Amino acid sequence: TDGIKAVATVWPASVSWYLSTDTEAMLDRTGDSLRAIAAGKQKDPKAALAYAACNAGDGGTVTPEGTDKWLLAFCALSGLEKASMSLIDLKVDPIDVTPTAFSGISAIATALRLQGNDGAVALWDLGAESSTLLLITAAGVEGAVACAVGMDSIIEAVQTALKLKFRGAGARL
């Protein structure tokens, strides 16, 4: 496109998350390893996928030499392409596209560190059909747990609770 070139963040409708084990953090740090892990964790291991990884402690880049845990976000390639289309509509030519939650993780961990806070924050990465709760402390992401609640079920609950006739009415709220 002839739009602005930019690094962009997007929120695909359904993203899966995986926090490495200590052993994986030491051994599996290359792009090929991360792609293989993401492929093995998705419903259809042979389906085209998009993935991104960050250092679980500070949101930085995962390097082959490191030993810190990493966080992997992955989704169907079609889901990323659909979310990225909104960038094209805005005349933005994305150089690199990463999950929106990565910047939130980094911001939360940094804020907790700067405050000297030893508490934790649960970041709810809300997808269309399912979601993931990410537990973030000053040390970074400590846990990632999938949950069956997604935006679709929330919209349905609002529609039912408010006795709305049309699904779109619940979605607008």
Side-chain angles (χ1 to χ4, degrees), residues 2-141:
D2 294 328
I4 298 169
K5 296 199 180 303
V7 174
T9 62
V10 293
W11 204 328
S14 183
V15 176
S16 296
W17 294 87
Y18 180 72
L19 180 63
S20 69
T21 64
D22 290 332
T23 302
E24 288 169 328
M26 291 186 296
L27 301 176
D28 299 321
R29 303 187 65 82
T30 65
D32 288 341
S33 295
L34 295 170
R35 177 176 289 286
I37 291 168
K41 300 280 180 198
Q42 71 177 357
K43 291 176 187 170
D44 179 1
K46 296 186 190 264
L49 70 93
Y51 78 96
C54 72
N55 182 307
D58 62 9
T61 303
V62 177
T63 60
E65 318 64 62
T67 58
D68 294 331
K69 283 187 173 184
W70 43 258
L71 182 67
L72 185 62
F74 54 96
C75 66
L77 183 58
S78 59
L80 178 64
E81 289 171 343
K82 185 176 179 181
S84 298
M85 288 307 293
S86 61
L87 297 172
I88 304 300
D89 293 343
L90 295 170
K91 307 254 187 277
V92 173
D93 184 12
I95 298 167
D96 185 25
V97 178
T98 59
T100 300
F102 278 6
S103 56
I105 291 165
S106 179
I108 292 167
T110 300
L112 291 170
R113 272 193 301 277
L114 290 174
Q115 289 180 341
N117 192 326
D118 62 353
V121 172
L123 176 63
W124 189 7
D125 183 51
L126 185 60
E129 297 171 4
S130 62
S131 303
T132 302
L133 290 170
L134 303 166
L135 183 65
I136 306 167
T137 67
V141 178

Side-chain angles (χ1 to χ4, degrees), residues 140-165:
V141 178
E142 299 286 338
V145 178
C147 61
V149 176
M151 185 59 88
D152 292 345
S153 58
I154 292 172
I155 290 169
E156 185 179 315
V158 168
Q159 182 181 356
T160 301
L162 298 179
K163 298 181 175 113
L164 301 172
K165 292 181 184 179

